[in-house]
Amino acid sequence: MSCNIAIDGPAGAGKSTIAKKVAKELSFIYVDTGAMYRAMAYYLLKNNVNAEDIRELEEKCEGADISICYQDGEQQVFLGEENVTAYLRAEEVGRMASVSSANGKVREKLLSLQRNLAAQHDVVMDGRDIGTTILPNADVKIYLTASADKRAKRRYLELTEKGETCDIEEIRQDIIERDERDMHREVSPLRQAEDAVLVDSSQMNIEEVKDAIVGIYKEKVKH
């Protein structure tokens, strides 16, 4: 019987960073949904699908078999039996992923694949609607958040460390606007699932957040 941990929350809350650390500590699979969308894009390109042809796109996407596993601690993405990890960062794959990810049928197919992964393996999955839509029966649900000021500061530091020039107030405003969009979108809006545990990381560092979530998992699942 697999165990699933769902981590939802607003932009800039550190969901992916934390989810990867939690997965590593518990020896779970971190389900990188972004990598799955890129694998789908690679599959469509390999099958010479015209991104403008909606009907062809929707018909072809049904044949994709995408899975994720770990080898020597590194995430590997498979398309059927083929390891396609090395191809996922190609520019043309990114362009196709941008177009195909907006298609409802593609999203349905990937939702099905993500649920299959979760049914077969112990997984940690993060996003905006994991606990509410994708894995509504997850064993542990976390709603990870932080104040807009704190999220803006983290993003500002991240960008300046990369040598990029940015304005912290613009970043803060962008975060607030994105929260508003995510919370009020028609399909799977961002919200805390009724049975999710709220974790506010405003005054916590990465290790403290990871330890808190691992602690919640142990309390809920182990006892």
Side-chain angles (χ1 to χ4, degrees):
M1 191 74 174
S2 64
C3 181
N4 301 161
I5 300 175
I7 302 178
D8 288 309
K15 299 183 296 295
S16 297
T17 301
I18 298 300
K20 288 172 188 172
K21 284 186 168 288
V22 170
K24 188 172 183 180
E25 173 129 340
L26 298 175
S27 297
F28 280 26
I29 288 176
Y30 167 63
V31 178
D32 185 341
T33 53
M36 292 184 77
Y37 275 102
R38 282 179 170 266
M40 173 64 84
Y42 176 75
Y43 167 82
L44 294 170
L45 286 167
K46 195 176 178 185
N47 283 276
N48 299 311
V49 173
N50 178 358
E52 309 274 313
D53 188 335
I54 304 301
R55 186 174 175 181
E56 185 187 19
L57 184 76
E58 293 181 347
E59 285 177 358
K60 282 289 186 183
C61 78
E62 289 300 325
D65 176 22
I66 300 162
S67 60
I68 293 175
C69 69
Y70 282 78
Q71 295 175 355
D72 301 322
E74 293 295 318
Q75 176 182 277
Q76 305 296 326
V77 184
F78 282 80
L79 193 54
E81 298 296 316
E82 182 189 6
N83 186 333
V84 297
T85 310
Y87 311 122
L88 301 187
R89 292 295 156 193
E91 201 63 39
E92 61 176 349
V93 172
R95 283 196 297 270
M96 174 62 95
S98 179
V99 175
S100 60
S101 64
N103 183 281
K105 289 287 185 188
V106 169
R107 298 186 77 85
E108 276 179 30
K109 176 62 179 178
L110 283 164
L111 170 61
S112 169
L113 291 168
Q114 287 156 12
R115 284 179 174 161
N116 286 343
L117 267 174
Q120 295 167 21
H121 304 280
D122 296 334
V123 304
V124 181
M125 206 181 292
D126 71 284
R128 305 281 193 279
D129 61 349
I130 309 300
T132 54
T133 303
I134 297 177
L135 299 178
N137 298 315
D139 303 87
V140 178
K141 295 181 186 178
I142 304 294
Y143 189 82
L144 179 63
T145 190
S147 68
D149 286 345
K150 183 60 73 171
R151 285 184 281 144
K153 186 177 180 183
R154 288 171 182 166
R155 182 66 177 150
Y156 174 79
L157 290 172
E158 183 186 330
L159 290 171
T160 51
E161 279 172 12
K162 290 178 181 176
E164 294 183 31
T165 304
C166 51
D167 183 298
I168 193 166
E169 186 50 40
E170 281 183 14
I171 294 171
R172 180 178 171 279
Q173 199 55 45
D174 183 58
I175 282 173
I176 291 169
E177 288 171 7
R178 189 166 173 184
D179 285 353
E180 188 71 14
R181 284 196 305 272
D182 286 345
M183 288 174 181
H184 293 93
R185 68 187 184 188
E186 284 187 35
V187 181
S188 300
L190 169 66
R191 63 181 175 82
Q192 181 178 339
E194 288 182 11
D195 51 347
V197 178
L198 177 68
V199 175
D200 188 328
S201 68
S202 298
Q203 305 303 321
M204 303 163 77
N205 62 33
I206 289 171
E207 286 301 309
E208 288 169 339
V209 178
K210 183 261 292 176
D211 289 344
I213 292 174
V214 169
I216 292 164
Y217 157 77
K218 289 179 177 176
E219 189 179 318
K220 277 183 171 283
V221 178
K222 293 290 190 179
H223 301 297

